[in-house]
Amino acid sequence: MSLYTVQKLLYQLNRDRSVQQRYKDDFAALLEDYDLTGEERHALAAPDIGLLYVMGVNGQLLMHYAALCGFEWDQYISAMREGLAEHGSVRAGLYAATDDRGAVS
Amino acid sequence: MTLVYAGVCSHAPGITGRAQRADPALREPFYASFRQMGEEIRAQQPDALIVVAAEHFANFFMDNMPAYCMGMAEDYEGPIEDEQWLGIERRRIPGNAELANRLIERMLHDVDLAYAQEWKFDHGVMVPLHFLTPAYDVPVIPININCQGPPITPLHRAYEFGRTLRKACDAVDERIAVVGTGGLSHWPATPDSGKINETWDRTFLDRWLANDREALTSYSDEATYFDAGQGGFEIRTFIAVAGAAEGSTGELYYYAPIPIFAVGCTIARMHL
């Protein structure tokens, strides 16, 4: 359920302006409302877009979170590639990289 | 009256959000075809434009995910995304709740359709509207087919959904246009963003233009995921429009891979 919780946070953050205000005012307090692991809390707070990608966060949710965090398009793509290099293959979900060879091992 | 227009188009956020990074030799003819489709739709003086979209967790999440949902609101807001990021200003878009209500009632005879009286449009609807109804003066009725969070509806059900939609449109007095919007092969929001399987896309489009129901619905999700990426699941929107236009064949106005837009950009219509 934990990846689900990360994604639910991002879903609510992406669509709800009151949640966006809480993100700006006190992100740590917002995170307390969600049952997250230490790794998930770190990845969201850093933010570590590459790690969130490898965890399996749905790309449509992550794309907007990266934009909210100020990542330009090329930075965002690079962050996912760096995440693969550092943390290995995408662990869950549909948004695995392929490069014609399936998820990076 | 009846269905007065049926078409399909791309909706990738880069189409507006990263416009300046695209090769103008590809971008401008694509935009021109998009606008041509808009002119054709508006020339039909539709009372409503139904947009069959593949939403991306803007309104529907895995706590309560309908396979099919139709909007039934007086109006809508969009885009949900940052305006600068998408390159489209936030605004309200008129709906037609009363007409949607009648369509839903009719469709429930044949399909278990969810409805929503709140709906925020994401790029999947806003990018098409930016080109098709730039004055935002045509009432819109959104439909979402879940293409994002498996389990997802089988392709033959998407075709049947389109047939059901057509029956409902033909049963009301209003003039209705329908546009399906989605990607063909693409790997959006991954490090492979920009990868496009043009051969796969063109085969699919040949099937769509011929309105070959059997061929359109013969793809397995496993094969689509391998050949066309997770974005390929959005073919359900195209297949639904083919179902709505059963018996008709189509015309391709534009197709070209535009990698910075992360999709094979497509504009096509059925001749009803």
Side-chain angles (χ1 to χ4, degrees):
Chain A
M1 285 295 285
S2 199
L3 174 62
Y4 175 90
T5 305
V6 173
Q7 295 183 107
K8 185 153 191 180
L9 187 163
L10 294 179
Y11 164 72
Q12 292 172 335
L13 182 59
N14 285 342
R15 74 186 310 275
D16 188 329
R17 281 173 215 154
S18 67
V19 180
Q20 290 167 10
Q21 191 60 50
R22 292 188 64 201
Y23 163 81
K24 290 174 187 167
D25 292 344
D26 190 346
F27 192 30
L30 176 64
L31 290 175
E32 288 301 317
D33 288 355
Y34 296 84
D35 185 12
L36 301 167
T37 67
E39 182 186 49
E40 291 162 348
R41 199 178 310 273
H42 156 75
L44 287 162
D48 189 335
I49 298 299
L51 179 54
L52 290 167
Y53 172 67
V54 167
M55 285 177 178
V57 172
N58 178 280
Q60 297 291 338
L61 294 169
L62 185 58
M63 177 169 66
H64 297 308
Y65 184 58
L68 181 70
C69 294
F71 282 65
E72 297 295 331
W73 183 255
D74 293 338
Q75 280 182 294
Y76 155 64
I77 299 294
S78 295
M80 288 189 286
R81 287 223 167 273
E82 289 161 10
L84 290 170
E86 186 172 349
H87 304 292
S89 288
V90 174
R91 300 170 193 167
L94 293 177
Y95 280 73
T98 61
D99 280 330
D100 297 322
R101 57 193 162 86
V104 175
S105 58
Chain B
M1 176 60 182
T2 187
L3 193 68
V4 296
Y5 194 93
V8 289
C9 64
S10 305
H11 68 227
I15 292 170
T16 50
R18 297 187 293 282
Q20 298 310 314
R21 296 182 61 178
D23 179 354
L26 294 171
R27 181 187 66 207
E28 293 308 317
F30 171 51
Y31 283 3
S33 292
F34 227 144
R35 293 186 180 111
Q36 179 187 344
M37 173 180 273
E39 289 165 7
E40 290 177 355
I41 289 170
R42 298 194 304 277
Q44 290 292 334
Q45 299 185 306
D47 296 302
L49 170 62
I50 293 176
V51 181
V52 183
E55 215 233 34
H56 315 84
F57 290 146
N59 298 277
F60 307 103
F61 190 63
M62 294 173 287
D63 56 350
N64 191 7
M65 176 63 79
Y68 300 91
C69 186
M70 180 179 274
M72 197 172 72
E74 294 292 344
D75 53 40
Y76 303 91
E77 182 186 277
I80 196 169
E81 293 93 343
D82 180 83
E83 297 164 282
Q84 300 296 322
W85 184 85
L86 189 60
I88 298 177
E89 285 184 21
R90 190 164 294 125
R91 67 189 70 238
R92 299 204 76 80
I93 300 99
N96 187 332
E98 189 277 329
L99 173 59
N101 192 331
R102 277 185 284 129
L103 291 170
I104 292 164
E105 282 183 348
R106 182 67 187 80
M107 293 176 72
L108 282 171
H109 287 274
D110 299 309
V111 62
D112 293 323
L113 174 67
Y115 67 84
Q117 290 188 276
E118 292 183 46
W119 197 310
K120 295 181 180 180
F121 291 168
D122 73 3
H123 63 270
V125 175
M126 292 306 293
V127 170
L129 295 183
H130 175 78
F131 293 95
L132 299 178
T133 57
Y136 297 91
D137 53 355
V138 178
V140 172
I141 298 174
I143 288 174
N144 180 50
I145 300 178
N146 171 28
C147 302
Q148 196 63 228
I152 53 181
T153 190
L155 299 185
H156 72 275
R157 296 294 299 161
Y159 197 95
E160 280 297 326
F161 180 83
R163 294 180 72 235
T164 299
L165 176 62
R166 174 63 176 273
K167 280 168 61 178
C169 291
D170 287 351
V172 299
D173 291 334
E174 286 83 351
R175 299 171 62 81
I176 297 173
V178 61
V179 170
T181 175
L184 300 180
S185 71
H186 63 316
W187 286 256
T190 76
D192 293 335
S193 176
K195 176 180 169 182
I196 295 156
N197 185 342
E198 181 174 354
T199 302
W200 191 92
D201 286 357
R202 290 192 181 279
T203 298
F204 178 85
L205 283 171
D206 285 344
R207 296 175 179 190
W208 190 86
L209 295 166
N211 206 340
D212 184 339
R213 175 180 181 158
E214 185 174 347
L216 281 172
T217 58
S218 68
Y219 298 91
S220 71
D221 284 341
E222 291 77 12
T224 298
Y225 186 67
F226 183 81
D227 293 327
Q230 90 284 354
F233 292 157
E234 293 180 348
I235 58 175
R236 284 160 175 76
T237 63
F238 281 45
I239 290 171
V241 171
E246 186 178 41
S248 300
T249 57
E251 179 179 354
L252 182 64
Y253 285 5
Y254 188 87
Y255 174 84
I258 304 182
I260 193 63
F261 292 169
V263 73
C265 293
T266 307
I267 305 290
R269 68 173 293 186
M270 289 291 186
H271 289 291
L272 297 172

